[in-house]
Amino acid sequence: MKRFFPVYVRVPVLFFTCYGILEYFIDSGDKPMIIAYPSVLALLGLILLVIIALEIVAKASNNVIEQLMTPEERAQKEALDNLPFSELPFIKKLMKKLTKSRAIEEEKEIEMDHDYDGIKELDNDLPPWWVYLFYVTIIFGVIYLGKYHLFGGDNQIQELEKDLAMAQKEIEEYKKTAPDLLTADQVVLLTDPADLAAGKAIFDSNCVACHRADGGGGIGPNLTDEYWILGGDVKEIFTTIMEGGRDGKGMVAWKQQIKPSDIQKVASYILSLQGTNPADAKAPEGDKVAAASAASQTSGNVANDTLANTNNQAPSAP
């Protein structure tokens, strides 16, 4: 058998079989098992060494046995090793059990009296493999009948509908928490200094050309007063940044350049600028929105001290 499965086939097959078994029983999440659990890598290395050691011992043992053989035994072993796969003793024995075939010399024993133009019929038994398979289909049929017709098991269409409903539910749950699938109705005012600092960095990279680094306004409106053209709530500011300003004029839409989760940080940072009153700020535009000022106090008070030093730094180029 070893000539049909040489060592360079046996070793990888055994190794990856062990790996597959470990991968199946060990839950490593999204990471590969050998990365999530480095100890498993050491175990696989040990398994590989054991397999190689067993192959070396088996090879050495065979060499010793061959040296102890008589010339006749060695010739008999060589003849056995050179047999085709189908002629190997255990293969022939297995096929005989599965087919119950008779040798040509024994066909006389099972000849029937029927003779059609010299063609005779043999009284062969059904091949065991066919009989076993027939029994399996009967058992399968009984189980199928019981599950789907007696006990109300789901058919394929019902299983599909349930799977689709479950998948849709999982998608909706994922959308509730996925940071880059934020919609305006999910946006909340962020007050964490790290989020506001991240929003400031994005603002400095993309917004200062029109609104100035201090938010006092240039080409674009002043972002530090209580007057807003398109609404001063954090959700409205988020929508304005995402979709852009008024048609034909105003700010462009940033949804293709900035992720929704980052736009939320920028909107929160903008509200933290409320009441900072920078020098030479642009005149108010739009309508006064008192709620924006009140809502921004939470973030403005927390963030002003944290961002005081960074607000005075030179803005980066847009």
Side-chain angles (χ1 to χ4, degrees):
M1 279 296 292
K2 288 187 176 181
R3 65 189 176 95
F4 298 105
F5 303 99
V7 65
Y8 55 82
V9 173
R10 294 196 304 272
V11 171
V13 167
L14 289 173
F15 175 76
F16 285 109
T17 299
C18 294
Y19 178 85
I21 293 172
L22 292 173
E23 184 77 44
Y24 180 80
F25 286 104
I26 298 177
D27 183 13
S28 58
D30 296 332
K31 295 182 179 179
M33 178 182 61
I34 57 177
I35 295 178
Y37 301 100
S39 57
V40 175
L41 181 60
L43 177 60
L44 287 171
L46 179 61
I47 291 173
L48 181 60
L49 290 176
V50 170
I51 293 173
I52 294 174
L54 290 175
E55 289 290 340
I56 293 173
V57 171
K59 180 65 175 175
S61 300
N62 288 335
N63 291 338
V64 173
I65 292 173
E66 287 183 5
Q67 291 175 0
L68 297 175
M69 284 181 177
T70 64
E72 293 78 11
E73 291 173 334
R74 193 174 293 111
Q76 185 179 3
K77 181 179 181 300
E78 185 176 349
L80 185 61
D81 289 342
N82 291 331
L83 283 175
F85 184 78
S86 59
E87 295 297 323
L88 292 174
F90 80 94
I91 294 295
K92 293 180 70 174
K93 186 177 180 180
L94 176 64
M95 292 303 296
K96 189 172 182 62
K97 284 186 176 181
L98 290 177
T99 62
K100 278 193 176 180
S101 59
R102 297 288 188 96
I104 295 178
E105 298 80 9
E106 300 175 355
E107 287 185 352
K108 288 286 184 182
E109 302 174 6
I110 56 173
E111 278 186 4
M112 301 182 71
D113 294 335
H114 304 161
D115 191 332
Y116 303 96
D117 296 330
I119 300 174
K120 295 184 178 182
E121 185 178 356
L122 300 178
D123 187 18
N124 281 313
D125 293 333
L126 286 172
W129 69 264
W130 190 95
V131 176
Y132 299 151
L133 185 60
F134 180 65
Y135 291 155
V136 169
T137 60
I138 293 175
I139 295 171
F140 175 82
V142 171
I143 295 174
Y144 185 92
L145 178 67
K147 179 176 180 179
Y148 294 104
H149 294 278
L150 298 180
F151 300 106
D154 294 336
N155 59 33
Q156 292 178 328
I157 295 177
Q158 291 170 328
E159 288 180 354
L160 175 62
E161 291 174 348
K162 286 185 177 181
D163 288 343
L164 290 175
M166 184 178 298
Q168 186 61 39
K169 184 177 179 180
E170 291 176 353
I171 290 172
E172 295 302 325
E173 290 297 323
Y174 173 75
K175 285 182 177 179
K176 291 179 182 179
T177 57
D180 290 334
L181 293 177
L182 279 175
T183 57
D185 58 335
Q186 297 171 322
V187 172
V188 295
L189 184 67
L190 303 177
T191 59
D192 186 87
D195 291 330
L196 297 177
K200 179 186 184 321
I202 300 170
F203 182 91
D204 289 345
S205 298
N206 299 279
C207 309
V208 295
C210 296
H211 297 284
R212 291 183 8 190
D214 56 13
I219 300 174
N222 182 356
L223 302 177
T224 64
D225 58 24
E226 299 178 347
Y227 291 83
W228 298 88
I229 299 172
L230 296 174
D233 179 77
V234 66
K235 299 179 187 296
E236 294 169 328
I237 297 174
F238 175 88
T239 301
T240 302
I241 300 172
M242 281 279 289
E243 305 298 337
R246 295 159 290 175
D247 293 338
K249 57 182 177 179
M251 185 174 64
V252 300
W254 287 95
K255 59 185 176 183
Q256 300 299 329
Q257 290 84 11
I258 306 176
K259 297 187 298 183
S261 57
D262 288 337
I263 291 179
Q264 179 179 223
K265 296 173 184 175
V266 175
S268 298
Y269 169 71
I270 289 172
L271 285 176
S272 75
L273 298 175
Q274 290 284 280
T276 54
N277 300 319
D280 301 322
K282 192 174 181 180
E285 298 177 78
D287 301 322
K288 185 175 182 180
V289 182
S293 177
S296 68
Q297 291 305 310
T298 303
S299 62
N301 293 338
V302 172
N304 281 340
D305 292 339
T306 303
L307 301 175
N309 294 330
T310 55
N311 279 336
N312 293 326
Q313 295 177 358
S316 58

